[in-house]
Structures are given as structure tokens and as C-alpha cells.
Amino acid sequence: MQMTGARAFVNVLQEEGIQHVFHLPGSQITDILDEIYQSPIRAILTRHEQGAAFMADGYARATRGVGICMSTVGPGAVNLVAGIASSFKASVPVIAVTGVHNQSILERDSFHEMDQVGVFRPITKWSACVHHTEKLPEMLRKAFRVALSGRKGPVHLAIPSDVSTGLFPFQPGNPAQSRAGVPSTCPQQGIEEILDRVAAARFPVILVGNEVLWARAVPDLIELAEALEIPVATSRDAPGAFPSSHPLGMGLVGRGRGEAGNAAIRRADLILGLGVKFDYQTTRYNHDLIPADAKIIHVSNNPEELGRIYPLTLGVNCDVGPVIQGLREAALRRG
């Protein structure tokens, strides 16, 4: 079926379950916005593009989904940078869409013309321009895949106005067909090894991070902690990953954070890091908090985090949700 790039863009958003888009309008994205306003998706108008980016970031965190923000060309695109950079550092999946002039007038120093792809490249997992209308669905689906895979984070797509208005035969798709549908799991042997090392420790502590929240694994984590009777502390970016009101909840750790969590970590001879980033604010990259002789088991979906700061006893590159489930089930079986 022939349809415009703008209509196809909205169709893919609907396939992905997007219900809200945050934007400040401009000429180069008008065609896309017209289609959004005729769809069930709610377009939320902001007073500044930076607000759209931060709203998309907050929306993604609150829904554990993907936030979408949109701006027009040039200064509008640049105004998204602060929010997108924040999403990049915090590993939040946001897709920033910026309008671009009709390609027939590019490379002529048109008003507000700039290298938007280059501006966003250092602060996104992927930044690209869609040059052909028929490539728009494929590249938008890739944007979702990249934003949600491994270490989550923002993506940027620049869309010229002639790509939005161009016609092509659109083929509907399914998100499951364009990315992994099953989270990576740790082999049972790895699960048993983790539990063996925890059981052999004198004072083990669980340290959890943001990946636990994105995996919606907090209920399983609570049951795991109760089964093992191990205190749980949280990194600064994930205060809700374990309830501090729980008897095993030690609260936040790091300089200026809760003393209970800091005291527990300093006593630990084994730290089980679940979906956590050993970031500077939490650890100061030294042994003031993390004991030099503590054994560290680190589970993360981001292989770059494993062993980045501290040497590991065991590194597990898997999605933290299934690992927590596997640990909980094995711990309950062991009694």
C-alpha cells in the first residue's frame, strides 16, 4: 500500500506501542506531526525543545519504555542536546527525531543547516539521517532495537522533509521481528556457582543498580534477598531498586549517601553486583567504600561494565532479570 514517509513513521510508532510524543513543532517536521495528530498517539507540545527531551527521558524512566522527542532543524535540534546527553549518561532509551531541510537544497548553507547527525553522535548509541523514504521504517525499527538492546540509551534520527512527504509501498511489521524477543539468561551452572560463592562468604552484600528497575525485577529481588538473608544496598541511580523500608534494605551507598549501606558494603567480603554500574558517585573509583580484598560478582547486560573499575571474581554478561529469577528459584530449592 502506497503511503507517505510521515504516515509510515507513525505506523511504526504504533507498532511499537508508543502512546506519547514530546515536541516543539517546526516546518521540517510538520508533515509527521500532522499524521501524529490524526492518530491515537498523544502529541504533547512543549515550550522549549530541551523540555521535550527531558520529558521524554522522564517518561521512559516512569514507563520503562521508550521516550520520543521531536524538534525542527538547526537550533531546534541543538536544544535537545542537554536532555539527550542526560539520557546517554543514565542509560535511558530515548529516540530523538530532528527535521532536516528538503535534500535538494542541502549543502548550500540553507538557513539553520548544520550537521545534526554529527552533533548527536557523541551522546547517542546511534545517530543517522534517513535519505530515502523507503528506508524510514527500517531505520526507525533499528532505532528502537539499538535503544533497547544491551546497555539502553538514546538514538537520534534526522529526517529530511522530502523523506516525510515521499511515497512508497509500506509493509507492516512486528517489533519481535526486528530485535531479540527473549532476554539473555545465565546457564544453570553459572547460577549455581554464584550461589556457591555467596554461601562460602562470611558477610556477602548485594549491590543493585538501574538494570534491576528496567527488568522489573524488584519483587524477585526481594524474594532472593529473603531466601539468602543478605543485606541489599542500592547505587545512587536506582534508589527504588530495593525498598529501604525492608529489614534487609540498606538504602543508597556512596559519599553523602546512607550510612547503613556504606557500613554494610565496607564490611563485605563478597559483593554481588546485580545490574549495577560501579560509577564514580557511588564508589569514587577507590577502596574507601569497596573493600580491596572483597570478591566481586558482577551481572550486567553491558559487557563494557564488567571489570571496568574493579577486578572480578566472576563476570556475567546477561540480562539481570532472568538471573535474579534463576538465583531466587535455586536459592529456594536449596532452602
Side-chain angles (χ1 to χ4, degrees):
M1 179 172 97
Q2 291 282 323
M3 69 173 57
T4 65
R7 180 65 248 175
F9 177 92
V10 174
N11 279 10
V12 174
L13 292 188
Q14 290 182 274
E15 290 172 359
E16 294 284 350
I18 296 300
Q19 300 179 13
H20 298 84
V21 170
F22 305 92
H23 73 96
L24 188 65
S27 301
Q28 290 72 25
I29 59 171
T30 298
D31 294 291
I32 293 177
L33 289 174
D34 283 346
E35 294 291 349
I36 289 176
Y37 273 98
Q38 296 177 58
S39 78
I41 298 173
R42 183 183 177 192
I44 298 177
L45 175 67
T46 65
R47 293 295 181 264
H48 192 281
E49 293 89 353
Q50 186 178 105
F54 279 113
M55 290 167 76
D57 178 283
Y59 180 84
R61 296 180 194 231
T63 63
R64 305 297 171 206
V66 177
I68 309 290
C69 58
M70 298 179 61
S71 81
T72 190
V73 70
V78 172
N79 284 342
L80 295 174
V81 165
I84 297 304
S86 175
S87 299
F88 185 66
K89 294 299 292 183
S91 302
V92 178
V94 170
I95 296 178
V97 177
T98 62
V100 179
H101 294 308
N102 187 303
Q103 293 177 96
S104 65
I105 66 170
L106 292 180
E107 308 301 333
R108 297 179 179 179
D109 196 23
S110 302
F111 72 100
H112 293 168
E113 181 181 350
M114 62 181 299
D115 180 12
Q116 292 166 207
V117 171
V119 166
F120 284 92
R121 188 170 286 126
I123 55 171
T124 57
K125 293 181 68 179
W126 180 53
S127 178
C129 181
V130 184
H131 295 290
H132 305 284
T133 302
E134 62 271 17
K135 291 281 288 183
L136 181 53
E138 175 187 337
M139 293 182 72
L140 183 54
R141 288 168 182 143
K142 178 180 177 179
F144 278 92
R145 180 171 67 252
V146 173
L148 291 168
S149 299
R151 177 194 174 189
K152 294 176 176 58
V155 169
H156 165 250
L157 280 185
I159 304 179
S161 57
D162 56 304
V163 169
S164 299
T165 58
L167 290 169
F168 78 111
F170 174 75
Q171 295 295 325
N174 185 320
Q177 297 174 327
S178 59
R179 60 177 177 267
V182 179
S184 59
T185 58
C186 179
Q188 189 60 35
Q189 180 181 353
I191 295 292
E192 298 297 336
E193 181 178 356
I194 292 173
L195 289 180
D196 287 343
R197 291 184 179 276
V198 169
R202 171 186 54 80
F203 190 78
V205 174
I206 297 175
L207 178 62
V208 296
N210 207 28
E211 290 177 35
V212 173
L213 291 171
W214 286 99
R216 302 179 186 274
V218 176
D220 287 327
L221 177 61
I222 294 173
E223 291 188 26
L224 171 63
E226 291 172 346
L228 297 176
E229 297 183 338
I230 293 178
V232 181
T234 59
S235 63
R236 72 177 185 91
D237 63 343
F242 195 88
S244 58
S245 59
H246 191 281
L248 293 171
M250 298 292 103
L252 296 172
V253 298
R255 182 178 295 181
R257 303 309 193 274
E259 287 307 310
N262 289 346
I265 290 290
R266 289 190 178 107
R267 287 185 56 195
D269 63 334
L270 182 142
I271 298 172
L272 175 55
L274 297 176
V276 66
K277 181 178 180 180
F278 288 91
D279 66 303
Y280 178 75
Q281 291 287 74
T282 299
T283 69
R284 285 303 193 265
Y285 299 157
N286 57 33
H287 295 290
D288 290 346
L289 180 67
I290 306 296
D293 57 351
K295 296 178 180 179
I296 299 177
I297 300 173
H298 192 184
V299 180
S300 176
N301 61 16
N302 182 11
E304 294 184 7
E305 288 300 327
L306 300 176
R308 185 204 292 265
I309 308 301
Y310 300 103
L312 303 178
T313 300
L314 180 63
V316 180
N317 180 210
C318 292
D319 288 297
V320 71
V323 174
I324 291 175
Q325 292 175 1
L327 290 171
R328 175 183 62 81
E329 292 168 2
L332 291 172
R333 285 196 303 270
R334 290 188 179 194

